Amino acid sequence: MQHVKYRTRDRCMIREIAIEQLRVGMYVYDLNLAWQAHPFAWQCFLIEDADMLRKIVDSGIARLEIDNELGVDVGVTDAKQEPEVQNEPSSAGPTIIAKLSPAEQFDFARNLYANANRLMQGIMQEVRMGKPVDLAQCQPLVDNILDSMFRFPSTLLPLAQMKTRDEYTFQHSVSVAALSVSFGRVLELPRREIKEVALGGLLHDIGKATVPGKILNKPGKLDDAEFTIMKNHVVRSAELIRAMDGISEIALNAAAQHHERFDGTGYPQGLKGEQISLHGQMIGIVDVYDAITSLRVYHKPMPPTEALQKMYEWSGAHFDPKLVQAFIKGIGIYPAGSLVRMDSDKLGIVREVLPEKILQPIVQLIYDCKRLCNIPPELVDLSASDDRIKSHESFEAWGIDQMHWAEAGA
Ligand SMILES: [Fe+2]
């Protein structure tokens, strides 16, 4: 795959330093190396321990960039000055996540998700009453989604996948925001730009608050008049977002163009190809992926791998193929939280996917399909195993409780 790279610079918090100045607790913004040339899964990350620090030094680079808002700055050597750990994501302000155990990560992600759904529910209610949307209400939530997606994407994404019919619209908004962070990271966008895309993702469907429930939740096909009303949600979203004080063009375009399609068949403007902003295309891809993999009033969730196959087929017409490939690289062909069947005829839950090893994730084996019995859960890194994934499977078909295993993985 050709490497897709879109980036701009925001120098506010970024400092270029010599390798000798690098310390544990600093947040690497850019290693100034192509991703294939270094041993880390991401270009941006926190240096958590001396081992990570040594790996960077050993890679032979002379200078790199750090983000001094997300990590310690030059001259700070005391580990006590690293960001403090807070386990409860609050809606009052952004939480800086330093070191959390897997169980704490799960609790953090679950609380974040619950808070986010509540906030979106409140915002949509206010929109319904004709009130404007306050950007300050959304900022801490977006910061928390960004922090957790940068630190433990494999915990938040599977949770974001589990939706209920009743709360679909709120849950979908949060899920789209989280997925857009994974997408932005694989495109190597600056963190500030990813944050704006995620904000656009969070707000992309707020116009749906103005669509009558009987149309929004209709189990059957919409007639022409109903479809016209439904389509208008994008125009309403754009109006509401444009009216927000301090909103960026990135966030606005991300939301306003999420139903435009690469071949010009989308709406509301029928934009084509490059006429659609990168950010609008990103939310368009993420929106469709999340919608078809979720439980809806009119369809069952499609397993993530099948959804990605479909989207790959649709790319070229509906989406830019390069972007669909980058999206798949970000979440993996078998995304975290998926149920898979191995060559050994065992079932496992995908626990962690690294962009450079999307076919060889870390899998937790839980069931023996030959003997038809549960097995003691075992974590296997497929990049160091002879076993291979044979197929993706449905939790429902095997009667496996997805939430139980999301929690058990923590
Ligand atoms: Fe939409």
Side-chain angles (χ1 to χ4, degrees), residues 204-205 208 233 258-259 287:
H204 76 288
D205 268 346
K208 278 192 178 168
H233 81 272
H258 79 273
H259 280 289
D287 177 42

Side-chain angles (χ1 to χ4, degrees), residues 6-23:
Y6 301 84
R7 55 188 320 177
T8 57
R9 290 278 178 194
D10 182 334
R11 311 299 313 178
C12 307
M13 305 165 302
I14 311 305
R15 180 198 284 266
E16 189 179 307
I17 60 165
I19 192 74
E20 296 77 26
Q21 295 174 288
L22 195 63
R23 297 286 178 271

Side-chain angles (χ1 to χ4, degrees), residues 42-151:
W42 308 110
Q43 280 285 75
C44 315
F45 54 88
L46 183 75
I47 305 176
E48 298 189 22
D49 51 38
D51 235 34
M52 285 178 82
L53 179 63
R54 198 169 313 112
K55 275 187 192 160
I56 300 171
V57 174
D58 289 350
S59 70
I61 51 172
R63 300 189 72 78
L64 73 164
E65 291 175 326
I66 60 165
D67 185 326
N68 58 27
E69 191 183 80
L70 296 170
V72 296
D73 203 355
V74 176
V76 179
T77 52
D78 185 348
K80 279 179 244 158
Q81 294 191 44
E82 286 183 28
E84 277 183 19
V85 177
Q86 294 177 28
N87 292 342
E88 289 290 318
S90 91
S91 53
T95 309
I96 299 168
I97 307 153
K99 281 185 184 283
L100 299 183
S101 70
E104 287 169 332
Q105 287 177 18
F106 181 80
D107 283 345
F108 185 95
R110 188 163 52 184
N111 287 335
L112 166 60
Y113 201 48
N115 285 341
N117 286 330
R118 265 196 300 277
L119 179 77
M120 286 314 295
Q121 201 161 3
I123 287 177
M124 306 260 305
Q125 224 157 32
E126 287 176 4
V127 167
R128 229 168 273 127
M129 292 188 296
K131 292 188 184 165
V133 184
D134 182 5
L135 183 58
Q137 250 187 313
C138 309
Q139 295 283 21
L141 171 61
V142 176
D143 280 327
N144 279 330
I145 292 175
L146 236 76
D147 276 342
S148 38
M149 282 301 294
F150 268 68
R151 301 300 318 283

